Amino acid sequence: MYSSSRLLCFLGLASVAVAQSTKQAGYNPRVGPSNANCTRQSYQLEITSNNTVFQNVDSNANTTYITKLLQTFVSLPTNFSQEYEQPTKQLLSRNYSISGTLCTPLNGQVKNTSHVQYLIHGIGFDSSYWDFAVNDTDEYSYVSAAAAAGYTTFRYDRLGTGLSDHPNDTYNVVQASTDLAIATKLLDMLKQGEIGGQQFDKVIGIGHSYGSVQIQALSATVPHLLDAVLLQGFSTNATGISPFLTSAAYATATEVFPDRFNQSGLPSTYLTTLAPQTQQLNFWFFPYYSDAAFDHNRKTEQPVTQGVLFTFTQTGLIQTATSFTGPVHVVTGVEDWIFCFSNCYSVPANSTYNSIPEYVQELYPVTSNFSVYIPENTGHAVNAHHSAPQVYQEMLAFVSNVFGT
Ligand SMILES: *[C@@H]1O[C@H](CO)[C@@H](O)[C@H](O)[C@H]1NC(C)=O
Ligand SMILES: *[C@@H]1O[C@H](CO)[C@@H](O)[C@H](O)[C@H]1NC(C)=O
Ligand SMILES: *[C@@H]1O[C@H](CO)[C@@H](O)[C@H](O)[C@H]1NC(C)=O
Ligand SMILES: *[C@@H]1O[C@H](CO)[C@@H](O)[C@H](O)[C@H]1NC(C)=O
Ligand SMILES: *[C@@H]1O[C@H](CO)[C@@H](O)[C@H](O)[C@H]1NC(C)=O
Ligand SMILES: *[C@@H]1O[C@H](CO)[C@@H](O)[C@H](O)[C@H]1NC(C)=O
Ligand SMILES: *[C@@H]1O[C@H](CO)[C@@H](O)[C@H](O)[C@H]1NC(C)=O
Ligand SMILES: *[C@@H]1O[C@H](CO)[C@@H](O)[C@H](O)[C@H]1NC(C)=O
Ligand SMILES: *[C@@H]1O[C@H](CO)[C@@H](O)[C@H](O)[C@H]1NC(C)=O
Ligand SMILES: *[C@@H]1O[C@H](CO)[C@@H](O)[C@H](O)[C@H]1NC(C)=O
Ligand SMILES: *[C@@H]1O[C@H](CO)[C@@H](O)[C@H](O)[C@H]1NC(C)=O
Ligand SMILES: *[C@@H]1O[C@H](CO)[C@@H](O)[C@H](O)[C@H]1NC(C)=O
């Protein structure tokens, strides 16, 4: 692993803000696995997005108020919109610092320098989801598995996680529309040669959970920028979403993890799962993971804003990709609580599909090849279960098919 932190200092790119958020987030400083040449950098992005405008909200609200909002959102969506959202969205322009990491296979193993996998993580993680370094080993690292197969990856910390900015407005700024605009910008930069000094002409978008929601939206809104998509921990079945929002018991991150998150640095509406139990319920399927993997996740768990929780399911994000012709692959653990409510085969008796993830093909009327893989003994946090190394081989078979090498 070639850490770029020293290099960045020479280039003057490592800013004070980054140093502070390192302390604040209890961030895992590992840049990448031993078989990849990884460069981490902060990208200053000017982003314009059409955002939901919230009202009667407060980024520093107390626990009672945070819970009251959630209660209304889940049980009375119409009342929620009337009381807390303005009827029309508004354009918002801001600069954000986003930390991204490009990893190329070491020792000339790269199959084609102009091919890249674009990885977007979900809620509760930062980009280290893709380099899930339990006890600092590479066993659960997708970046490592990809590098071993000769493929380059680019991953970044979503706004409000890891080493990226943590804006203080957790409703109007840190929300799904902003996230999608950032995802679009970085994808465009990969294509334009503005990341790693390399113009990537083939890109596979790979997401996990909320990251898959964004990759799916990209395949509909900028289909020409993606050659294929792989949606991990994803489906179009919303049955498990409300159980997720309530049972995770999202609570103020600085109170749940006072040692990791700086009270005066992070508003109260940056949230994490309240307890190991509420984390387990939503992300894990016992006993098919190690205690070390669970501990590692708990120690590096990242916050989500209430604004993201209230917007990631909004209309217009997941949408029919009417002109996306590339292949689509869905990889969802059979016991995924959030996207299958613990059984991906529980389709209606009269269904024409065998599993819940198969319904995703309805979003892709002109895809060249739609396929689904449902790993057994796997919950929502796919990359953290025992099955991960095997799942990666399956994912990389899809990747290899697309890149044609
Ligand atoms: C690692 O990547 C950097 C930046 O692209 C490059 O300058 C360096 O030569 C690479 N090192 C190795 C060992 O491949
Ligand atoms: C929490 O905030 C709400 C709204 O500002 C307020 O009505 C309530 O009294 C506060 N509760 C506590 C315990 O501070
Ligand atoms: C929800 O909105 C309806 C219609 O505006 C209103 O009658 C009702 O009291 C509201 N419910 C709550 C719990 O605020
Ligand atoms: C922003 O969204 C609103 C709908 O809420 C729409 O009326 C408006 O045209 C959009 N603005 C832009 C620039 O897309
Ligand atoms: C973003 O930063 C650039 C360079 O500092 C500045 O010119 C621009 O006005 C900023 N944009 C916004 C929306 O703040
Ligand atoms: C890399 O892939 C591109 C197409 O994406 C192709 O044109 C090029 O020939 C490939 N390069 C090598 C060295 O195989
Ligand atoms: C929030 O951050 C903005 C800059 O992004 C700053 O102008 C503003 O003063 C901050 N507000 C609070 C309450 O800290
Ligand atoms: C906590 O955040 C405040 C405000 O951003 C900052 O002044 C302080 O240095 C931070 N403390 C630590 C221990 O990082
Ligand atoms: C992995 O780390 C955990 C603590 O997180 C420790 O209890 C365990 O012994 C370690 N396992 C190995 C194989 O090093
Ligand atoms: C959606 O998921 C629920 C819970 O697993 C299941 O009962 C239902 O049949 C699914 N609906 C479809 C259309 O697959
Ligand atoms: C399957 O049955 C449900 C009611 O259980 C019905 O709403 C739906 O239209 C049926 N779908 C098909 C394809 O027949
Ligand atoms: C379609 O996808 C499946 C699963 O990824 C793969 O086995 C098959 O070869 C693909 N077919 C074509 C024509 O690419």
Side-chain angles (χ1 to χ4, degrees):
M1 171 183 64
Y2 294 80
S3 165
S4 63
S5 51
R6 224 165 2 138
L7 176 70
L8 292 185
C9 288
F10 280 123
L11 297 176
L13 288 171
S15 68
V16 175
V18 168
Q20 272 179 354
S21 62
T22 308
K23 244 188 259 166
Q24 158 175 296
Y27 192 79
N28 180 359
R30 168 170 151 138
V31 178
S34 54
N35 66 344
N37 180 5
C38 296
T39 307
R40 176 164 292 160
Q41 187 180 320
S42 289
Y43 297 89
Q44 312 305 321
L45 309 179
E46 183 164 15
I47 297 294
T48 298
S49 48
N50 200 12
N51 284 18
T52 299
V53 181
F54 287 87
Q55 60 197 8
N56 303 321
V57 297
D58 172 5
S59 294
N60 289 302
N62 62 32
T63 297
T64 312
Y65 201 76
I66 292 170
T67 306
K68 161 78 182 161
L69 256 56
L70 175 67
Q71 197 175 44
T72 309
F73 181 79
V74 169
S75 63
L76 299 165
T78 308
N79 290 49
F80 183 87
S81 297
Q82 282 168 0
E83 284 175 46
Y84 303 111
E85 291 173 356
Q86 290 181 15
T88 52
K89 294 180 158 195
Q90 269 177 32
L91 288 181
L92 175 78
S93 292
R94 287 281 173 93
N95 286 317
Y96 307 110
S97 172
I98 299 292
S99 173
T101 306
L102 182 71
C103 292
T104 54
L106 266 178
N107 306 326
Q109 296 294 306
V110 60
K111 289 209 166 114
N112 188 321
T113 52
S114 71
H115 295 173
V116 71
Q117 298 168 75
Y118 181 47
L119 313 174
I120 307 185
H121 67 86
I123 289 169
F125 295 92
D126 53 38
S127 66
S128 68
Y129 175 75
W130 302 110
D131 182 39
F132 197 71
V134 181
N135 287 14
D136 211 18
T137 67
D138 296 347
E139 190 186 349
Y140 294 87
S141 170
Y142 181 72
V143 173
S144 176
Y151 302 118
T152 300
T153 54
F154 177 73
R155 64 190 198 271
Y156 67 94
D157 298 333
R158 279 193 299 96
L159 190 66
T161 74
L163 296 180
S164 294
D165 275 352
H166 292 62
N168 59 16
D169 187 331
T170 58
Y171 294 97
N172 297 319
V173 174
V174 191
Q175 60 165 266
S177 298
T178 309
D179 280 339
L180 184 58
I182 291 169
T184 307
K185 175 72 183 169
L186 287 168
L187 174 56
D188 195 55
M189 287 168 70
L190 282 169
K191 299 290 285 188
Q192 299 294 326
E194 290 164 19
I195 292 177
Q198 166 72 46
Q199 203 166 332
F200 293 101
D201 52 40
K202 270 199 174 179
V203 182
I204 302 179
I206 303 184
H208 171 240
S209 192
Y210 174 46
S212 292
V213 170
Q214 292 176 60
I215 293 286
Q216 200 288 317
L218 291 174
S219 67
T221 55
V222 287
H224 55 289
L225 298 183
L226 288 168
D227 294 278
V229 296
L230 194 161
L231 309 171
Q232 196 206 53
F234 180 75
S235 80
T236 47
N237 186 317
T239 304
I241 300 292
S242 287
F244 158 61
L245 289 172
T246 49
S247 71
Y250 277 104
T252 298
T254 57
E255 289 174 12
V256 180
F257 297 110
D259 299 340
R260 289 208 290 121
F261 298 109
N262 178 351
Q263 185 107 38
S264 49
L266 206 59
S268 65
T269 47
Y270 273 94
L271 312 170
T272 59
T273 57
L274 175 65
Q277 297 88 324
T278 74
Q279 157 74 221
Q280 180 190 334
L281 195 55
N282 286 281
F283 291 84
W284 303 81
F285 189 66
F286 183 81
Y288 301 102
Y289 55 88
S290 68
D291 292 346
F294 190 87
D295 288 350
H296 177 72
N297 180 219
R298 198 73 190 146
K299 283 181 185 142
T300 55
E301 186 174 341
Q302 292 295 306
V304 57
T305 64
Q306 199 168 35
V308 164
L309 293 178
F310 288 160
T311 53
F312 85 96
T313 56
Q314 76 189 359
T315 322
L317 203 54
I318 292 178
Q319 56 193 292
T320 306
T322 48
S323 63
F324 186 74
T325 53
V328 176
H329 193 47
V330 182
V331 176
T332 302
V334 67
E335 285 97 3
D336 189 311
W337 164 274
I338 305 172
F339 284 89
C340 288
F341 211 39
S342 292
N343 180 4
C344 283
Y345 293 106
S346 67
V347 291
N350 62 359
S351 177
T352 52
Y353 303 116
N354 293 317
S355 71
I356 289 173
E358 283 177 49
Y359 282 82
V360 174
Q361 67 191 274
E362 296 186 347
L363 298 175
Y364 291 100
V366 294
T367 174
S368 63
N369 191 9
F370 179 85
S371 52
V372 160
Y373 172 54
I374 301 177
E376 290 181 5
N377 301 326
T378 306
H380 184 60
V382 178
N383 292 6
H385 282 72
H386 286 318
S387 59
Q390 196 190 324
V391 172
Y392 296 164
Q393 292 318 306
E394 204 279 343
M395 291 169 65
L396 288 164
F398 173 79
V399 167
S400 161
N401 231 354
V402 174
F403 286 151
T405 44

